Amino acid sequence: MTEQAPEPFEPVDEDWQTALAIVAHPDDMEYGGAAAVARWTSQGKKVVYVMVTSGEAGIDSLDPAECGPLREAEQVASARVVGVDTVEFLGYPDGVVEYGLPLRQDIARAVRRHRPDIVITSNFRDTYGGVSLNQADHVAVGRATLDGVRDAGNRWVFRELLAEGHEPWSGVRQIWAAASPEAKHAVDTTEHFDRGVASLEEHKAYLAGLGGAMAEPREFLEGFGRSAGSRLGTRFAVPFEVFPLR
């Protein structure tokens, strides 16, 4: 019996102006999403990054006290390559992020401050498809993002945000989870693929300590991008699971 080909991807809606990317670690946007960000900033759109942790547990040979500031600096440089000028770090402990009210509140605060049209997060499903397990921080942050975005629009949830001067924001139209195995949409990144590679290459210390296939930016992103591109009818693409909010 021949295996059935996967359904083609639909293009994401690009009729928007501002996006807020909320992910667990420095490098999460670069493993697939940065080329899409380069496309959007080249269209004049504004994208802001919020990192829940500083990735301080990500390099085995570096103590977290040294690693965290280094990875923050690499993320800021990486974001700049794809036209992102604002990168914020929430300071949660790397590797042990928990889904819960504090995280939801901090995400709601970020959404109210930046007031985006689109919110982007990373895959929060249990796997990347098949038996490739996801990381616990990705799961916690992605699921908290779904709830925190909705919390941002309800003035009676996290009332202390009102006291801080953060009025509710119900303007988020969609939440996009990058690289989800449940993705049915994608964006063509063919013209911006090289900038996505260059963005990942800015994580020099992290890549040097990582090893394996993921430490080879161009090769890794080519495989990832071509797989998605084959389902969108383009050379390279980034897939997203789309959650409409209005």
Side-chain angles (χ1 to χ4, degrees):
M1 180 182 294
T2 58
E3 188 173 335
Q4 187 173 1
E7 292 284 333
F9 284 137
E10 297 180 27
V12 297
D13 177 9
E14 294 184 293
D15 183 19
W16 52 270
Q17 286 302 311
T18 60
L20 179 64
I22 304 171
V23 295
H25 315 107
D27 80 69
D28 283 352
M29 285 300 296
E30 286 66 55
Y31 275 105
V37 173
R39 171 186 170 103
W40 296 323
T41 58
S42 72
Q43 295 170 346
K45 295 175 169 57
K46 180 179 180 180
V47 182
V48 170
Y49 285 0
V50 172
M51 308 286 139
V52 171
T53 81
S54 297
E56 69 275 8
I59 302 177
D60 185 69
S61 61
L62 283 182
D63 184 273
E66 180 182 358
C67 184
L70 174 60
R71 296 206 66 199
E72 286 187 4
E74 290 187 340
Q75 179 60 70
V76 170
S78 174
R80 192 176 298 120
V81 171
V82 293
V84 175
D85 299 322
T86 302
V87 182
E88 300 175 354
F89 300 89
L90 298 184
Y92 281 73
D94 185 18
V96 290
V97 177
E98 294 182 295
Y99 172 93
L101 295 178
L103 182 56
R104 280 173 51 187
Q105 183 182 56
D106 283 340
I107 290 171
R109 180 184 290 108
V111 172
R112 290 189 185 193
R113 284 194 297 109
H114 293 290
R115 308 178 90 75
D117 303 315
I118 300 293
V119 169
I120 300 163
T121 192
S122 55
N123 173 35
F124 57 84
R125 300 298 183 180
D126 289 337
T127 74
Y128 284 91
V131 297
S132 180
L133 287 172
N134 201 350
Q135 204 261 7
D137 285 358
H138 300 160
V139 175
V141 170
R143 290 176 176 169
T145 297
L146 289 182
D147 292 329
V149 168
R150 289 175 292 184
D151 296 334
N154 188 333
R155 72 174 54 251
W156 307 123
V157 176
F158 303 130
R159 299 180 196 181
E160 50 269 60
L161 296 180
L162 290 174
E164 295 173 11
H166 303 305
E167 288 295 317
W169 176 247
S170 299
V172 177
R173 290 158 39 194
Q174 296 180 344
I175 302 171
W176 297 351
S180 169
E182 301 296 324
K184 293 181 173 59
H185 294 76
V187 59
D188 179 6
T189 56
T190 303
E191 293 184 10
H192 305 279
F193 176 78
D194 287 339
R195 286 177 68 193
V197 172
S199 184
L200 179 54
E201 288 175 339
E202 288 294 331
H203 293 274
K204 297 179 178 66
Y206 179 67
L207 293 171
L210 187 62
M214 291 185 70
E216 301 295 333
R218 182 166 294 276
E219 289 80 356
F220 181 88
L221 293 178
E222 280 183 349
F224 174 82
R226 281 202 178 102
S227 177
S230 69
R231 294 177 60 184
L232 187 65
T234 63
R235 185 180 177 196
F236 295 117
V238 173
F240 291 97
E241 184 175 3
V242 173
F243 299 89
L245 296 180
R246 61 187 178 99

